[in-house]
Amino acid sequence: MTENNQENLARGRHDEGQEWQGFVEEAYLEPKGLGSVEDRLEKKIGIAKRKKRAIYSFFSTAVAALLLIFLVNANSAFAHTMSNIPVIGQLIEYIQFDKSLSQAIENEYIQEVALTAWDGEEQLSLPYVLADEKNMVLFFQLPKDFGLADNEWANISLKDMKDESNGNKVDGFSYSTASLSREGIAQNHGFIMQQYHFAEGKVPESISLDVLLEIEILPNEEKVVQVGEFEEDVHERNMKEMGTFTFEVKFEELAKPMVYEFHEDLSIYGQTITLEEMRVYPTGTEVFFTFADKNPAWIKGMNLAIEEDREIVLKGSHGISAMHKEDQSGMSVFIESDYFKKPKEQELLIRGLRLLDKEEESITVDMEKKTITPAIEGMELKEVIKGEGKANLVFATKVREDDGFGVFSFEYRDEEGNTYALKSEGTSSPRDSWMETRITVEYPENGRIILQRTLTPMLTLEEPIRIELPQR
């Protein structure tokens, strides 16, 4: 999904020619392992402030050369040598901290596109992409002289994507993106990675996309609000647009999946869930579930994990992502896997569910009486703080100690049918098994609004349901 060059797609194959051989020979002069990779990865993640911009997104794979990644992760002299090569050297530094990316590079999946787009005097580059039939990763790079203040973050968001073969708008996908601080730009060489997953379709062979580069300006000081004092909705993001950039990319032939049919019914907490099929891609495994119409509750989420040799290797949002169908009749789960490693027996564990009773999806909040109708077990309207035509509402929800989630949809209405946007929703970390949710709403004349609930506390199974994952 990406940039201004359709034909110039060459794989980053650095294992050819005398120059490459020279790098290899020089690398072996000082063989010394690169230690503390995991610790350095954690530090880098701490700087790179990742922001999900969609419900579902996942890291796909595609990069270049077994020898390259082996030497980068095992030989400090080689890593130093490769770091002296513009752009690819910077990506080499980047991949030392990412195992999934390393696996992709190891197996020659990177596509070098070497694209740069301009908007006036502002520029943005897209040196590399990775893709298979369902997933795509874009490596944007900010220019070396891109300036940020201490309270500023660089963000890249998607504005539009088109299929170049027919000019149609592309949909049926979701994505996640990272943001970078001034320190992060220096350490990551200006790379901002976006990960796309096409849950309802396939990655087109040729894509044009427009992306928006912005600077988010954070307040230098946090406003302190006294207990019981009305707080204006100050959570709107302060964004400065730097430019819109257009890229075009024509992908090489994309790998197709192996498909396994199941159609097996599971009964969990009185809900019927059907495991329909699995599709195995180079970047991971996609699992499809459907939910029975007769279920008394909407299934709003699953607590999933991957077990390998009786050890949890992936869980939660770390390597597992999911997308619900719009009509809530099912969901797809995408599981990251080290496709290029020797296969091991793996199981998908369903460890819990989020269930929302269909008759309790919408609640009426009476701000004068401080009541919720219907009454929701484990939820209270704790505080109503009135302001000029608005009110702060504070809800308390009974949760597990490690559970935290957004409670409401970002659209609500009054009893006259007028709709409003919920600009922000603040949640606290659970304390004594209670989580607080704070929102700011308009105050209608009768003091009543209708909120739509989106997520609920996680219900944990005593024993997980185990589903064997097929191997490649």
Side-chain angles (χ1 to χ4, degrees), residues 209-316:
L209 79 161
D210 297 332
V211 295
L212 175 64
L213 173 61
E214 298 176 291
I215 293 177
E216 180 177 5
I217 305 170
L218 304 179
N220 289 315
E221 296 181 0
E222 288 192 14
K223 180 180 176 182
V224 178
V225 179
Q226 300 298 323
V227 176
E229 177 184 331
F230 175 78
E231 177 188 8
E232 281 288 350
D233 195 345
V234 296
H235 303 289
E236 291 187 70
R237 301 169 72 198
N238 183 7
M239 308 297 291
K240 176 184 176 183
E241 291 192 11
M242 302 301 294
T244 297
F245 304 88
T246 301
F247 299 97
E248 298 172 359
V249 166
K250 183 178 180 181
F251 293 104
E252 296 176 343
E253 184 176 356
L254 302 172
K256 292 178 172 55
M258 293 179 284
V259 180
Y260 301 85
E261 303 274 347
F262 289 88
H263 310 297
E264 177 183 342
D265 288 340
L266 308 171
S267 181
I268 310 174
Y269 286 118
Q271 315 297 312
T272 299
I273 301 174
T274 302
L275 170 62
E276 297 289 0
E277 68 176 29
M278 297 186 191
R279 299 176 186 174
V280 182
Y281 294 90
T283 55
T285 300
E286 193 170 25
V287 185
F288 293 87
F289 296 97
T290 56
F291 309 140
D293 290 338
K294 65 181 180 180
N295 287 345
W298 301 116
I299 297 171
K300 296 302 240 176
M302 294 185 184
N303 181 3
L304 301 173
I306 300 298
E307 190 173 89
E308 189 176 281
D309 295 336
R310 292 296 170 178
E311 178 182 350
I312 299 297
V313 293
L314 298 172
K315 63 180 180 179

Side-chain angles (χ1 to χ4, degrees), residues 109-120:
Y109 264 67
I110 199 166
Q111 296 182 7
E112 181 181 3
V113 289
L115 301 172
T116 298
W118 294 82
D119 186 343

Side-chain angles (χ1 to χ4, degrees), residues 408-469:
F408 301 113
S409 168
F410 279 89
E411 187 175 271
Y412 65 99
R413 66 185 191 274
D414 60 27
E415 292 188 326
E416 300 298 321
N418 300 308
T419 59
Y420 308 88
L422 193 64
K423 294 182 179 179
S424 65
E425 179 181 22
T427 58
S428 68
S429 299
R431 297 184 62 182
D432 299 324
S433 298
W434 286 90
M435 176 189 74
E436 287 192 357
T437 301
R438 185 187 186 99
I439 61 176
T440 300
V441 298
E442 301 292 330
Y443 201 105
E445 188 174 339
N446 66 1
R448 291 192 291 274
I449 59 171
I450 300 169
L451 298 173
Q452 182 179 350
R453 300 168 66 206
T454 54
L455 293 179
T456 57
M458 183 68 70
L459 302 175
T460 302
L461 294 167
E462 291 186 8
E463 291 292 332
I465 292 176
R466 296 176 175 272
I467 301 170
E468 185 176 346
L469 294 178

Side-chain angles (χ1 to χ4, degrees), residues 38-107:
E38 248 87 24
D39 292 341
R40 295 169 68 189
L41 172 58
E42 289 181 6
K43 291 178 183 177
K44 175 164 274 192
I45 289 175
I47 293 170
K49 181 191 172 191
R50 305 190 55 111
K51 292 185 177 180
K52 292 264 183 177
R53 296 205 186 276
I55 298 172
Y56 188 141
S57 55
F58 194 72
F59 185 86
S60 71
T61 31
V63 191
L66 170 64
L67 184 59
L68 171 63
I69 191 63
F70 174 77
L71 291 174
V72 166
N73 280 329
N75 189 305
S76 59
F78 181 80
H80 175 73
T81 301
M82 291 303 301
S83 294
N84 292 327
I85 306 173
V87 186
I88 185 63
Q90 294 167 356
L91 190 61
I92 293 302
E93 275 190 44
Y94 192 54
I95 65 167
Q96 291 182 65
F97 307 96
D98 194 307
K99 291 181 179 179
S100 298
L101 189 55
S102 298
Q103 292 293 328
I105 289 181
E106 180 178 324
N107 287 270

Side-chain angles (χ1 to χ4, degrees), residues 43-202:
K43 291 178 183 177
K44 175 164 274 192
I45 289 175
I47 293 170
K49 181 191 172 191
R50 305 190 55 111
K51 292 185 177 180
K52 292 264 183 177
R53 296 205 186 276
I55 298 172
Y56 188 141
S57 55
F58 194 72
F59 185 86
S60 71
T61 31
V63 191
L66 170 64
L67 184 59
L68 171 63
I69 191 63
F70 174 77
L71 291 174
V72 166
N73 280 329
N75 189 305
S76 59
F78 181 80
H80 175 73
T81 301
M82 291 303 301
S83 294
N84 292 327
I85 306 173
V87 186
I88 185 63
Q90 294 167 356
L91 190 61
I92 293 302
E93 275 190 44
Y94 192 54
I95 65 167
Q96 291 182 65
F97 307 96
D98 194 307
K99 291 181 179 179
S100 298
L101 189 55
S102 298
Q103 292 293 328
I105 289 181
E106 180 178 324
N107 287 270
E108 301 184 359
Y109 264 67
I110 199 166
Q111 296 182 7
E112 181 181 3
V113 289
L115 301 172
T116 298
W118 294 82
D119 186 343
E121 296 183 353
E122 301 295 335
Q123 79 174 78
L124 181 65
S125 297
L126 180 67
Y128 295 96
V129 299
L130 300 89
D132 64 17
E133 195 176 72
K134 296 290 286 186
N135 303 279
M136 174 172 61
V137 182
L138 308 179
F139 294 98
F140 293 104
Q141 190 174 34
L142 301 172
K144 291 181 179 179
D145 59 354
F146 192 85
L148 287 176
D150 288 340
N151 66 326
E152 294 179 340
W153 292 77
N155 298 275
I156 297 176
S157 58
L158 177 69
K159 292 186 69 175
D160 189 38
M161 186 191 307
K162 288 185 173 64
D163 185 336
E164 283 288 283
S165 66
N166 53 30
N168 293 336
K169 183 181 178 66
V170 178
D171 54 20
F173 68 90
S174 57
Y175 76 104
S176 66
T177 187
S179 299
L180 285 182
S181 65
R182 181 166 68 176
E183 185 180 7
I185 287 177
Q187 295 205 12
N188 288 355
H189 300 289
F191 280 113
I192 293 181
M193 181 173 66
Q194 288 190 340
Q195 306 172 17
Y196 290 75
H197 177 69
F198 286 70
E200 299 176 7
K202 299 177 182 178

